[in-house]
Amino acid sequence: MHPETTYIAMLSAKEREEIIGLIKQQVVPAMGCTEPMCVALCVAKATEELGCLPERIDVHLSANLLKNAMGVGIPGTGMIGLPIAIALGAIIGKSEYKLQVLKDLTPEALEQGKKYIAEGHINIQLKEDITEKLYVEAICKAPQPPKGESLIDSAHVKIAKAIIAGSHTNFVPPQSLIDSVDECTSVSKANKNLPLGGNEGVPLSLSLVYDFATTAPLSEISFILEAKELNMNAAKESVHGNYGHCLGKTIERPMSHGIFGNSIFSHIISKTALACDARMGGAMVPVMSNSGSGNQGICATNPVVVYAQENQNTEEELIRALTLSHLTAIYIKQSLGTLSALCGCVVASTGASCGITYLMGGDYDRICFAVNNMIANLTGMICDGAKPSCSLKIASGVSTALLSALLAMEGKHVTSAEGIVDNDVDKTIHNLTSIGAKAMDDTDRMVLDIMTSKTP
């Protein structure tokens, strides 16, 4: 364990401010899977601009977003997939809530949403002509007769359009267009890689991430404890229901203790899987996300928290370990992209491994060893959409995170003589993200084709 840290001015106040802004931008509360919530948010914004409940909603989605939204539970509905998210986005969604857009859900609104779907108001299509992997275009329409004309005789339609691209809450100007059908214009950026706003471009390296996490004044980074509160609460709430595949509850049962033991290892796996089970199973509970993913937020948080609790680390050590974990995940995602063919648990569990290594007393070199061990093991795990079985992948990632940390503390690590690992840890990370962002594109297309062509 580390001694209490005395602040060393390794980074300027401006640099720290930029990094803190980046963390606060990328580590945010979310209710339910972020992809369908992103779609619901876009529909909510277009509906607000329309000023009434749409008669028709056309939603155009990138392939990666469609893949991630097809099979996941929508919080509080007992239903799976996009139609109910879209319907509720129009009926009760508020864009000001961002990724908690549906938190005002009521039983009455749910019944209205089911009726809205049955009446055929929603059309979902794949957006073919874009390279942006996270793209949502919502077009809401409602009849609007000019003054003096009856609704039946009027050919005029009121239209509102909203577009989100690049990240889950990034509305692209013009955010919405309201016009008559004969004057409606299109968004010229629809077929381009659209820029992200805010602080996503803050240049990071693993050494910068480590320096910030271990030397920043505690008062500047203690906000990260909110991730602990939300994500551990999700695990607690999960115990009271049967969500997803109940992986977390299964690991906590006596039979599983006979296999995994009643140990730090089993507790870390169960508390992480419990939160994922609840989120993917549609529990009405918020989690703290990372880089647009609730599962990544859970995976970067719960393993670190449970280890710190059972290892009796101090609160300062926990704060710094959580900061290291989350910021490492953000750094890796900068070159990987918000959505990719690579499962996000590879990224987030690498962050968790760094955080746990720090809690074990590891220095920067040991943390680099942990990263090398993670990337040598998990690279290539595919993302086949958000769904209840994500908890299985998270369990694999967290298991590897613990193994990698233990090896690192023993001074054992995969070297540049093996596979894609490089002498420079940042090059190793970019080797991973190059494979995930570029080389796995064909894999991504094949996965989506398999998912969309299965017999119901």
Side-chain angles (χ1 to χ4, degrees):
M1 292 188 284
H2 296 264
E4 295 298 313
T5 301
T6 301
Y7 173 55
I8 304 170
M10 300 189 71
L11 300 172
S12 69
K14 184 176 185 299
E15 288 174 316
R16 297 200 312 274
E17 182 181 353
E18 288 181 347
I19 294 172
I20 289 166
L22 174 61
I23 296 172
K24 289 184 175 180
Q25 184 180 20
Q26 296 295 336
V27 181
V28 298
M31 181 83 75
C33 177
T34 49
E35 276 69 58
M37 291 306 105
C38 170
V39 177
L41 174 63
C42 196
V43 170
K45 184 69 172 178
T47 302
E48 289 165 0
E49 296 293 340
L50 189 68
C52 62
L53 186 65
E55 179 67 24
R56 179 178 175 85
I57 303 174
D58 292 297
V59 176
H60 304 272
L61 305 172
S62 60
N64 285 76
L65 199 143
L66 181 63
K67 177 186 73 174
N68 274 18
M70 287 173 59
V72 69
I74 307 303
T77 68
M79 300 174 69
I80 289 173
L82 282 168
I84 190 62
I86 291 169
L88 293 175
I91 294 166
I92 53 99
K94 289 185 175 65
S95 62
E96 66 190 84
Y97 293 165
K98 296 186 178 179
L99 293 179
Q100 299 186 78
V101 59
L102 302 184
K103 70 178 183 179
D104 288 343
L105 178 63
T106 63
E108 293 76 21
L110 178 57
E111 290 308 310
Q112 187 180 353
K114 292 177 180 178
K115 181 180 178 184
Y116 193 81
I117 294 170
E119 291 172 347
H121 297 285
I122 298 170
N123 176 46
I124 303 169
Q125 293 183 348
L126 180 67
K127 185 78 172 178
E128 299 281 4
D129 58 343
I130 57 167
T131 55
E132 174 58 58
K133 292 189 175 183
L134 194 160
Y135 183 92
V136 185
E137 180 179 321
I139 304 170
C140 295
K141 303 175 183 178
Q144 185 186 45
K147 291 182 180 179
E149 292 187 26
S150 69
L151 185 61
I152 295 175
D153 295 334
S154 173
H156 291 267
V157 175
K158 188 177 182 182
I159 296 177
K161 178 185 289 187
I163 294 175
I164 290 176
S167 62
H168 291 76
T169 59
N170 186 49
F171 285 98
V172 177
Q175 292 183 7
S176 58
L177 302 170
I178 301 179
D179 238 322
S180 61
V181 286
D182 54 334
E183 296 176 349
C184 185
T185 59
S186 62
V187 177
S188 62
K189 292 185 179 181
N191 61 349
K192 297 180 181 179
N193 278 313
L194 299 166
L196 303 179
N199 295 319
E200 288 94 336
V202 174
L204 296 175
S205 64
L206 191 63
S207 62
L208 180 62
V209 167
Y210 176 81
D211 289 345
F212 174 82
T214 58
T215 67
L218 207 60
S219 60
E220 293 183 1
I221 58 175
S222 58
F223 66 87
I224 201 70
L225 287 175
E226 188 181 350
K228 168 194 169 184
E229 299 305 320
L230 286 182
N231 294 349
M232 290 298 287
N233 181 65
K236 181 179 178 182
E237 290 298 316
S238 185
V239 174
H240 302 304
N242 289 316
Y243 296 105
H245 298 295
C246 296
L247 177 61
K249 291 178 74 172
T250 299
I251 293 172
E252 289 198 336
R253 288 173 180 151
M255 183 179 71
S256 299
H257 286 168
I259 299 170
F260 295 105
N262 188 9
S263 62
I264 296 177
F265 174 78
S266 66
H267 298 165
I268 285 175
I269 300 295
S270 66
K271 291 298 188 294
T272 308
L274 276 166
C276 181
D277 287 335
R279 180 175 176 267
M280 294 288 94
M284 201 72 176
V285 57
V287 301
M288 189 66 80
S289 66
N290 181 298
S291 304
S293 167
N295 283 347
Q296 285 172 198
I298 291 167
C299 195
T301 302
N302 290 20
V304 177
V305 171
V306 176
Y307 185 87
Q309 289 174 341
E310 303 216 10
N311 195 48
Q312 298 182 348
N313 289 93
T314 66
E315 182 174 78
E316 176 178 348
E317 289 169 334
L318 173 59
I319 290 170
R320 296 193 183 281
L322 283 173
T323 302
L324 177 60
S325 177
H326 277 276
L327 192 55
T328 298
I330 292 168
Y331 166 44
I332 298 173
K333 291 291 284 187
Q334 281 186 329
S335 54
L336 179 63
T338 305
L339 298 180
S340 75
L342 187 70
C343 178
C345 87
V346 177
V347 175
S349 57
T350 299
S353 189
C354 293
I356 291 170
T357 303
Y358 173 82
L359 292 173
M360 289 177 172
D363 57 9
Y364 177 68
D365 287 340
R366 293 297 191 272
I367 285 165
C368 290
F369 293 171
V371 171
N372 286 348
N373 294 339
M374 290 295 296
I375 291 174
N377 191 332
L378 287 182
T379 297
M381 182 183 287
I382 63 167
C383 171
D384 54 344
K387 60 209 175 303
S389 60
C390 285
S391 61
L392 293 166
K393 293 187 177 184
I394 280 181
S396 297
V398 174
S399 298
T400 304
L402 288 161
L403 179 60
S404 296
L406 285 169
L407 282 173
M409 291 304 295
E410 292 291 325
K412 305 294 184 182
H413 64 99
V414 177
T415 70
S416 61
E418 305 172 68
I420 65 169
V421 171
D422 197 283
N423 285 321
D424 183 331
V425 70
D426 293 299
K427 287 183 180 178
T428 301
I429 288 170
H430 286 284
N431 290 343
L432 165 73
T433 59
S434 294
I435 291 170
K438 300 173 185 177
M440 293 177 72
D441 275 348
D442 285 343
T443 300
D444 216 16
R445 285 188 286 271
M446 178 60 73
V447 167
L448 181 64
D449 182 60
I450 292 170
M451 290 174 65
T452 55
S453 61
K454 289 188 292 185
T455 303

